[in-house]
Amino acid sequence: MLTVQNLSVSFTQYDTGLTQKQLTVITDLDLHVNAREVVAVVGSSGSGKSLLAHAVLGILPHNAQISGTILFKGEPLTRQRQASLRGKAIALIPQSISYLDPLMPVGRQVHQAARRAGVATTDIRQRVDHTFSRYELASTVKQQYPFQVSGGMARRVLVATAAVGQADLIIADEPTPGLHPDLVAETLNHLRQLASAGKGVILITHDLEAALQVADKVAVFYAGTTLEIAIAEDFVNGNLRHPYTQALWRSLPQNEFIPVPGAQPNPDALPDGCLFSDRCPLVTDACLTERPSLRLVRGAPVRCIHAEG
Amino acid sequence: MKLSMPAIANPRSRLQGFSLNNRRSRTLLLIALCLVVLGVLLLGTYLIGQAGLDIALSSRNQPPSFAHPFGTDWLGRDMFSRTLHGLSLSLWIGLLTASVSAVIALAIGTLSATLGGKVDAAITWLIDVALSLPHLVLIILVAFAAGGGVRGLLLAIIITHWMSLARLLRAEVLQLKSSDYVQLSSKLGRSPLWIARHHLLPHLLPQFLVGLILLFPHAILHEAGLTFLGLGLPPEIPAIGIILSESMRYLSAGYWWLAVLPGVVLLMAVQAFDILGQSVRALLDPKTSQG
Amino acid sequence: MLKGEQLSFRYSPHHSWVLQDFNIQIAPSEIVGLLGPSGFGKTTVGKLLAGYLAPTSGSVTVEGQPLPTRGSCPVQLVFQHPELAMNPRWRIRQVLAEGQSPAPELLQALSIDSSWLSRWTHELSGGELQRIAVARSLNAHTRYLIADEMTAMLDANTQALIWQAVLDYVRQHEIGMLVISHEAPLLKRVCDRIIHIE
């Protein structure tokens, strides 16, 4: 459905005065999403998670330069194609309920999303009704404004706006920030259902625990690159390949709660070699000179020369 | 590793990246152009002096030519010199009134936000009422009430131009006061004065500057408008409004240059201020300075 | 002892109560968790205890004294969103200096790189900014620290890193802590006892 290969994104930014500098925020990023699959994209802030979503949707700011390939259904995603697919074949579930229009009843917002997505005018009514009942929203909710519905309902409305148009690829950008565990579980379940209905789902989150509840695969991002695309079971089975993924798992409060010291390298001063080399316990000289390429180890891609089969 | 030198120590390094492909350079160039245009309009009269203002009845009502780019009027005076003189006067009046008005806005806006309570409610009410009245009517009323003439004109423009900026600055201060980082600053032991100096002022000054620049064109246009209507400056002071209103009488005689060319220059000056304000804002606002 | 007694709060008599008759005590070196869903006044408790809000009724005392109205507050609050807790026109160096220059050991424990100091706040990621915010709050005057969803927006590794540094510091300096969170596993890991608000 979606294939991202060797994606790089850099920004031209102004420093003091007139000097400009190049910030490489995404380097050699890879991701692959199939239909019926939830792929979680996990990483810290600044790892390029949201930028990937923006790159796929074609909404990066104009001072960004892109290289690499993004294929959607086997064909390159050009600017024009992105513009025509956005909100139709590719839909976004945004992070915050503040993305809802506060001055419009929620029913009309879902209605509009359906029309934007190209649903035939005669079918829209029925589709909106169907979507509302599917997400257990009473039909009286349609007339209510966003401030009148509860937080949980507003979440469901957000999912409904993305699901109503029958998009093939759904990108959920941090859909569960700081939510109550029940609400997190509910939102994640909706994503799972969308995948079961044949869509491809990308779940972007910093919350590894939430990701593991629902994802088939977990892509671990770090400093703008994909370090590993693990299968969800690999985490519990101790089958992880990259030292950073292992560290991430270890650092959960319900596991050992032990962090790796240090921080992600800054985008204007990336190391020449492996991007994780300055924090890695396994680092050798070879790691410092060349960026490791993505290779298959135990059935999953990993970007580490020390990962063993 | 390179020794890090403070950028100030070497001012040339700041201009090294100058090229027209650089958006920030283009904005700076635009600002410089506007400043040059406005500088010429403001100070041009000092360069050309009183030449061309003398009555020369032998060369009355001449259309534009090389000797008189804007033509001559019904007394044979050079319209180009008159326009420059008139515009310069109008610009100075605009600068004066806009500056005073902006300072009033700063004082009232920040006071309203810091004092809060009844004072704030009263000031907000006053601003709302003043803004809901038709602008020109208000100006004319104040000018009449103040006895007309130069004093009336200045007072009228000063009194009617501070409201929008005051409202903007009040909102900024309110938002800043309730922001996490300002509240945290006081919990870290910083005094209100320190916070005003280090958090509020550096945030307000750019807004104030941009607001001030964008006030100029308003003030100038209203001064010209009021004078055109005969309520502002007396006819013996050759402001641009006087020139325009006198010239209107000659339009029907086919002497189009008397009104059109000074009008175009007035529009250019106003536009220059507008571009200047927008460009300065684009540079100072962190949200747009990167874009 | 940091004490909140009979704390009630509403924004005005026209509003409904956000919090009513809430009692809490935190001893030096004690780490107390406050668990509950959003909308139950957890954040209000934190803001009342740190003096950001004044209780409509009830009192907050530190070692028997009311919170000081001027000077450095012995109760410091770390917010969920560090980018809002810093002046966007400042460099990191200035932000840290506002907290009267924290101890170098603390900066090291938080893995704060010296190259960050000359950067603008928008040049650092959320995880990096939160380390700066934590370092700024833990100055010599701080006796109690309130962490309101301090690491809710951060990845697991950065979360663990910040918590290990904070736990070391508060143990060493006998600082009492209130940890506000909706994440039960985190509270179970770091707290001595947990209060549930329902």
Side-chain angles (χ1 to χ4, degrees):
Chain A
M1 171 98 53
L2 180 79
T3 304
V4 178
Q5 265 174 342
N6 286 321
L7 181 73
S8 291
V9 176
S10 59
F11 287 110
T12 311
Q13 275 208 327
Y14 288 95
D15 207 1
T16 46
L18 293 171
T19 41
Q20 293 177 323
K21 57 180 178 184
Q22 286 286 325
L23 293 183
T24 310
V25 284
I26 289 187
T27 14
D28 302 334
L29 192 96
D30 293 82
L31 190 71
H32 192 78
V33 185
N34 293 317
R36 318 188 72 81
E37 200 173 65
V38 179
V39 177
V41 171
V42 173
S44 62
S45 58
S47 64
K49 296 172 302 196
S50 290
L51 283 172
L52 168 77
H54 294 179
V56 171
L57 290 164
I59 50 174
L60 285 172
H62 65 90
N63 59 340
Q65 293 96 43
I66 297 191
S67 68
T69 18
I70 307 180
L71 302 176
F72 180 67
K73 293 186 171 170
E75 290 195 40
L77 262 183
T78 56
R79 284 247 162 201
Q80 297 91 319
R81 197 150 169 256
Q82 280 170 331
S84 66
L85 294 178
R86 205 182 302 147
K88 299 185 180 76
I90 305 178
L92 176 76
I93 301 178
Q95 172 170 12
S96 155
I97 54 175
S98 63
Y99 281 76
L100 290 173
D101 183 342
L103 300 177
M104 196 192 283
V106 295
R108 271 198 54 194
Q109 303 200 32
V110 179
H111 195 276
Q112 281 199 345
R115 202 174 51 200
R116 261 199 307 271
V119 177
T121 327
T122 43
D123 298 347
I124 290 183
R125 250 198 127 73
Q126 196 198 343
R127 275 283 271 289
V128 172
D129 288 343
H130 178 74
T131 313
F132 262 67
S133 64
R134 189 159 132 230
Y135 291 107
E136 294 168 36
L137 292 161
S139 59
T140 50
V141 176
K142 276 189 216 160
Q143 275 77 48
Q144 290 179 334
Y145 288 88
F147 77 93
Q148 291 172 308
V149 305
S150 72
M153 272 197 259
R155 289 274 150 206
R156 280 182 249 161
V157 172
L158 283 179
V159 178
T161 49
V164 71
Q166 295 197 322
D168 298 312
L169 178 67
I170 292 192
I171 304 177
D173 189 1
E174 295 275 8
T176 61
L179 295 184
H180 186 259
D182 295 346
L183 212 50
V184 173
E186 186 190 303
T187 309
L188 295 176
N189 267 335
H190 289 148
L191 296 182
R192 183 75 256 169
Q193 286 163 12
L194 287 169
S196 308
K199 301 172 196 305
V201 177
I202 301 178
L203 164 63
I204 295 173
T205 180
H206 67 273
D207 188 348
L208 177 59
E209 223 189 314
L212 289 177
Q213 285 179 38
V214 64
D216 300 294
K217 292 191 292 191
V218 177
V220 179
F221 281 22
Y222 182 83
T225 196
T226 316
L227 291 185
E228 177 171 0
I229 305 179
I231 297 145
E233 289 79 39
D234 291 344
F235 283 85
V236 245
N237 297 341
N239 194 25
L240 295 171
R241 297 151 195 87
H242 199 283
Y244 178 69
T245 321
Q246 292 161 356
L248 210 55
W249 175 244
R250 230 184 2 255
S251 64
L252 283 177
Q254 53 272 56
N255 297 337
E256 290 163 53
F257 206 46
I258 299 172
V260 197
Q264 251 176 175
N266 201 284
D268 60 8
L270 294 179
D272 296 329
C274 171
L275 295 180
F276 188 59
S277 56
D278 57 339
R279 300 171 77 183
C280 186
L282 306 178
V283 64
T284 55
D285 285 346
C287 302
L288 300 175
T289 49
E290 206 183 331
R291 297 255 166 92
S293 53
L294 209 59
R295 62 196 181 98
L296 279 182
V297 173
R298 281 174 264 135
V302 61
R303 209 180 274 285
C304 175
I305 54 171
H306 297 294
E308 286 157 18
Chain B
M1 202 179 218
K2 214 169 51 172
L3 271 175
S4 62
M5 293 265 285
I8 307 290
N10 183 1
R12 274 193 62 205
S13 72
R14 290 201 153 199
L15 285 172
Q16 258 169 12
F18 194 93
S19 103
L20 284 183
N21 295 323
N22 183 316
R23 195 189 50 83
R24 221 176 244 187
S25 307
R26 284 199 300 271
T27 312
L28 278 179
L29 191 67
L30 211 57
I31 290 177
L33 272 176
C34 290
L35 286 176
V36 168
V37 169
L38 296 173
V40 166
L41 291 179
L42 274 172
L43 304 172
T45 49
Y46 293 99
L47 298 177
I48 60 169
Q50 296 293 315
L53 290 184
D54 302 328
I55 296 171
L57 293 174
S58 57
S59 51
R60 287 190 301 164
N61 297 330
Q62 288 182 359
S65 65
F66 278 111
H68 304 288
F70 282 20
T72 60
D73 68 0
W74 55 95
L75 293 174
R77 293 173 294 188
D78 177 44
M79 277 310 284
F80 184 68
S81 314
R82 287 195 75 205
T83 305
L84 266 188
H85 277 275
L87 206 57
S88 161
L89 188 66
S90 294
L91 287 185
W92 281 115
I93 292 174
L95 282 179
L96 176 71
T97 49
S99 307
V100 178
S101 211
V103 171
I104 292 177
L106 182 67
I108 289 186
T110 46
L111 271 182
S112 182
T114 22
L115 295 179
K118 293 217 171 74
V119 180
D120 186 36
I123 291 176
T124 318
W125 180 82
L126 187 71
I127 291 177
D128 285 343
V129 169
L131 281 178
S132 64
L133 294 172
H135 209 58
L136 206 57
V137 174
L138 195 64
I139 295 179
I140 292 170
L141 282 179
V142 178
F144 260 125
V150 180
R151 203 176 61 131
L153 175 93
L154 294 181
L155 269 179
I157 294 174
I158 289 172
I159 287 179
T160 51
H161 281 80
W162 55 269
M163 284 87 78
S164 310
L165 184 59
R167 180 143 80 174
L168 180 91
L169 294 176
R170 171 184 169 272
E172 287 291 336
V173 174
L174 278 185
Q175 193 213 335
L176 230 51
K177 255 178 59 182
S178 65
S179 72
D180 285 353
Y181 69 86
V182 168
Q183 296 202 343
L184 195 123
S185 189
S186 88
K187 295 296 162 208
L188 288 170
R190 302 302 179 173
S191 67
L193 217 62
W194 193 94
I195 292 175
R197 160 81 185 76
H198 290 89
H199 285 304
L200 295 183
L201 219 58
H203 183 85
L204 284 185
L205 277 183
Q207 312 254 15
F208 172 76
L209 186 68
V210 171
L212 174 66
I213 296 174
L214 291 177
L215 262 184
F216 291 151
H218 270 269
I220 294 164
L221 275 183
H222 281 128
E223 182 272 318
L226 216 56
T227 307
F228 179 82
L229 291 175
L231 294 164
L233 301 174
E236 62 271 20
I237 302 177
I240 194 83
I242 305 273
I243 295 177
L244 287 175
S245 91
E246 284 178 349
S247 304
M248 292 309 275
R249 279 182 267 151
Y250 293 86
L251 262 186
S252 53
Y255 306 146
W256 55 271
W257 58 89
L258 294 182
V260 171
L261 294 176
V264 168
V265 180
L266 173 66
L267 281 182
M268 273 170 53
V270 167
Q271 199 59 36
F273 270 120
D274 227 35
I275 296 172
L276 184 66
Q278 308 287 2
S279 308
V280 171
R281 190 205 318 251
L283 275 190
L284 291 180
D285 189 340
K287 274 189 232 97
T288 53
S289 69
Q290 279 303 338
Chain C
M1 190 77 85
L2 171 63
K3 261 191 200 171
E5 287 169 297
Q6 296 292 315
L7 293 177
S8 297
F9 182 80
R10 58 180 172 186
Y11 283 95
S12 78
H14 311 292
H15 288 82
S16 53
W17 292 102
V18 183
L19 194 73
Q20 267 190 301
D21 299 328
F22 185 80
N23 289 297
I24 190 167
Q25 284 197 7
I26 300 158
S29 316
E30 189 187 22
I31 302 180
V32 180
L34 189 58
L35 182 69
S38 53
F40 284 81
K42 284 187 311 213
T43 293
T44 307
V45 171
K47 288 197 161 177
L48 288 172
L49 290 177
Y52 283 78
L53 293 172
T56 312
S57 66
S59 68
V60 175
T61 54
V62 177
E63 327 302 351
Q65 302 289 316
L67 290 176
T69 50
R70 49 174 57 212
S72 199
C73 186
V75 186
Q76 289 293 332
L77 177 62
V78 178
F79 295 90
Q80 178 176 1
H81 298 285
E83 63 278 9
L84 301 180
M86 293 173 189
N87 190 331
R89 291 170 187 273
W90 281 9
R91 290 182 192 270
I92 299 298
R93 191 189 314 282
Q94 280 173 288
V95 175
L96 272 178
E98 204 177 15
Q100 356 226 294
S101 300
E105 307 88 68
L106 180 62
L107 297 188
Q108 203 188 353
L110 286 164
S111 297
I112 291 174
D113 196 283
S114 60
S115 71
W116 299 356
L117 297 181
S118 57
R119 294 192 177 272
W120 301 105
T121 53
H122 68 82
E123 292 180 285
L124 295 192
S125 73
E128 290 158 357
L129 288 181
Q130 194 63 293
R131 303 178 204 204
I132 303 291
V134 167
R136 178 179 59 177
S137 301
L138 290 175
N139 62 54
H141 302 279
T142 307
R143 305 308 319 144
Y144 296 91
L145 185 70
I146 295 169
D148 185 0
E149 301 282 9
M150 181 169 74
T151 52
M153 301 305 288
L154 305 181
D155 66 291
N157 189 65
T158 312
Q159 164 170 286
L161 188 141
I162 291 181
W163 274 108
Q164 295 301 355
V166 167
L167 293 176
D168 280 349
Y169 186 92
V170 300
R171 273 187 209 118
Q172 224 176 39
H173 294 81
E174 299 184 348
I175 287 172
M177 260 194 101
L178 178 68
V179 187
I180 301 171
S181 176
H182 62 275
E183 285 171 84
L186 175 68
L187 292 183
K188 274 184 204 138
R189 172 62 80 165
V190 302
C191 296
D192 302 322
R193 64 185 166 95
I194 298 175
I195 304 170
H196 293 259
I197 316 192
E198 291 294 339

